[in-house]
């Protein structure tokens, strides 16, 4: 492992996304519950509030990707462009999130349902911009920290481990708070306003601690910023065209990677959204199991995250991703034929474990393939991840709207079929895109280089070669 990835810095990078993971878990799992059942917004208005958040996130992610790669001011030179955007996003989230999950501070706002919806939309726009800033900068930082693909995979694996931990923490804290204050209640209502505020307070405290650890423990390689700008100022017109953002869209591998990333996210996110509905509507399980089975899924994902690096190192991206796809297809087949009491009472636990492992494998490997696509072009890393996230968020929103609008009240197998489709169609599309990529096979020592035209200037060639090979003047020590 290179000097830039000392143990503390390695773990510090992993916790740098915990705030976002806590917020995302709260948002995807409880946003509709809070706005519809607790704040008593209608289904349409509650859905509109969530939709505003998703669209803001999609647009902000792409925009911040461009800004993070191109905007350089004094503070970014001294502190690091990725960490500066990460800090900016963290501040926005800390300021706006408490208002998004609390009763309006002005009582007159609740006099009208439209006013209440607009009130929450205002704060949601800000916290989604902050969320996108953290997400984009943290993902792009993995490519900046090291040129070695196995180390990039390790960074993404530890990031995913903390993602699973964050989801588990949110579910456990919410369960404890609701159980201790409402032991006899089985449904959400306006009386749970205080409980949501307690959960948000815990998220803010944990998120603040992990954000501080990240900014202390990780030192972004600043020489990378300066050298990339020196190259851009001295390269030829042909080189500048080859390194431009728009040149990415001429590469077919961009669209292949986007399909892999998008389909992987659809599989993982739609599992989170629709698994509880499948368990309740089709298997008719109790509320206790609706809380227990998602927890088991996250625990299996957490365990698998420690093996992702080893599999990518020994087998390569494509074989590792294929393994995850096979597990997803196997789960779909098991769910399709599983309709007995034995399946509902016992076998569903095994299915949950398997799909948890599959989600871990395909998500981490899809992110690793994206870092392979970036390669040594770290000056456009944030834009690349922003582009991937944009397609992911738009398509996820479209899938949710389609599933809900087509919901058949008289079809008892509806959500079972949704789970089967979710674990087969995106997985097969991603598999085809992944195996056809020109990279992602057996691992090499460093990421694949992309040929560059020879410079016609007198810039120091040793620095140029370092950057082209992804060996950007990494610091000897990172954090302490």
């Amino acid at each position: 492992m290179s000097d830039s990835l000392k143990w503390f810095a390695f773990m510090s990078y992993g916790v740098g996304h915990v705030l976002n993971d806590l917020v995302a878990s709260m948002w995807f799992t409880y946003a509709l519950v809070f706005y519809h059942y607790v704040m008593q917004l209608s289904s349409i208005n509650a859905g509109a509030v969530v939709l505003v958040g998703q669209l803001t996130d999609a647009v902000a992610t792409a925009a911040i990707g461009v800004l993070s790669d191109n905007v350089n001011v004094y503070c970014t030179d001294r502190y690091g462009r990725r960490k500066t955007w990460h800090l900016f996003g963290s501040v926005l989230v800390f300021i706006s999130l408490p208002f998004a999950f609390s009763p309006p501070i002005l009582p007159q706002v609740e006099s009208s349902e439209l006013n209440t919806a607009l009130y929450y939309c205002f704060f949601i726009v800000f916290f989604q911009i902050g969320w996108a800033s953290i997400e984009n900068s943290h993902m792009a930082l993995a490519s900046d920290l090291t040129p070695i693909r196995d180390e990039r995979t390790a960074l993404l694996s530890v990031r995913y481990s903390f993602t699973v931990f964050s989801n588990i923490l949110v579910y456990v804290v919410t369960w404890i708070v609701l159980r201790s204050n409402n032991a006899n209640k089985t449904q959400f209502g306006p009386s749970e306003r205080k409980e949501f505020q307690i959960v948000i307070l815990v998220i803010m405290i944990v998120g603040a601690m992990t954000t501080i650890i990240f900014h202390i423990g990780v030192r972004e390689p600043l020489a990378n910023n300066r050298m990339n700008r020196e190259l851009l100022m001295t390269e030829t017109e042909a080189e500048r065209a080859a390194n431009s953002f728009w040149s990415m869209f001429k590469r077919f591998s961009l669209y292949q990677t986007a399909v892999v990333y998008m389909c992987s996210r659809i599989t993982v996110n739609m599992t989170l959204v629709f698994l509880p509905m499948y368990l309740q509507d089709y298997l008719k399980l109790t509320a206790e199991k609706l809380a227990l089975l998602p927890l088991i899924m996250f625990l299996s994902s957490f365990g698998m995250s420690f093996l992702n690096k080893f599999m990518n190192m020994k087998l390569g991206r494509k074989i590792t991703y294929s393994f995850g796809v096979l597990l997803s297809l196997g789960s779909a087949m098991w769910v399709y034929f599983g309709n007995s009491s034995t399946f509902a009472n016992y076998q569903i636990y095994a299915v949950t474990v398997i799909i948890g492992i599959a989600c871990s494998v395909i998500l981490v490997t899809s992110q690793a393939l994206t870092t392979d696509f970036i390669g040594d072009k770290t000056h456009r890393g944030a834009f690349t991840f922003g582009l991937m996230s944009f397609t992911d968020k738009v398509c996820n929103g479209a899938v949710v709207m389609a599933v809900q609008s087509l919901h058949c009240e008289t079809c008892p197998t509806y959500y079972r079929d949704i789970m089967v489709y979710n674990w087969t169609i995106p997985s097969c599309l991603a598999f085809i895109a992944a195996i056809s990529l020109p990279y992602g096979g057996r691992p090499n020592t460093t990421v694949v280089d992309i040929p560059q035209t020879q410079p016609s200037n007198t810039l120091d060639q040793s620095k140029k070669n370092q950057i082209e090979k992804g060996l950007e003047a990494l610091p000897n020590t990172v954090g302490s």
Side-chain angles (χ1 to χ4, degrees), residues 403-460:
V403 170
Q404 291 302 96
S405 62
L406 296 174
H407 183 216
C408 176
E409 298 289 348
T410 59
C411 303
T413 64
Y414 183 76
Y415 283 113
R416 182 207 66 179
D417 295 338
I418 292 300
M419 298 309 298
V420 171
Y421 296 148
N422 180 57
W423 293 341
T424 53
I425 297 176
S427 296
C428 291
L429 291 175
F431 172 75
I432 294 172
I435 62 173
S436 60
L437 282 169
Y439 48 84
R442 289 285 180 175
N444 299 317
T445 304
T446 58
V447 294
V448 178
D449 292 334
I450 299 174
Q452 299 290 317
T453 57
Q454 292 297 320
S456 60
N457 50 65
T458 59
L459 177 69
D460 182 74

Side-chain angles (χ1 to χ4, degrees), residues 313-370:
M313 288 176 60
K314 299 299 182 182
L315 304 177
R317 312 281 197 226
K318 294 181 179 180
I319 296 178
T320 302
Y321 195 88
S322 300
F323 171 71
V325 170
L326 286 176
L327 291 181
S328 181
L329 295 177
S331 300
M333 184 176 297
W334 202 345
V335 163
Y336 183 78
F337 291 106
N339 52 15
S340 64
S341 59
T342 302
F343 176 84
N345 293 326
Y346 303 103
Q347 296 178 20
I348 187 61
Y349 290 94
V351 174
T352 305
V353 171
I354 293 173
I355 197 60
I357 295 173
C359 288
S360 176
V361 171
I362 64 175
L363 184 59
V364 171
T365 309
S366 68
Q367 292 172 344
L369 285 169
T370 305

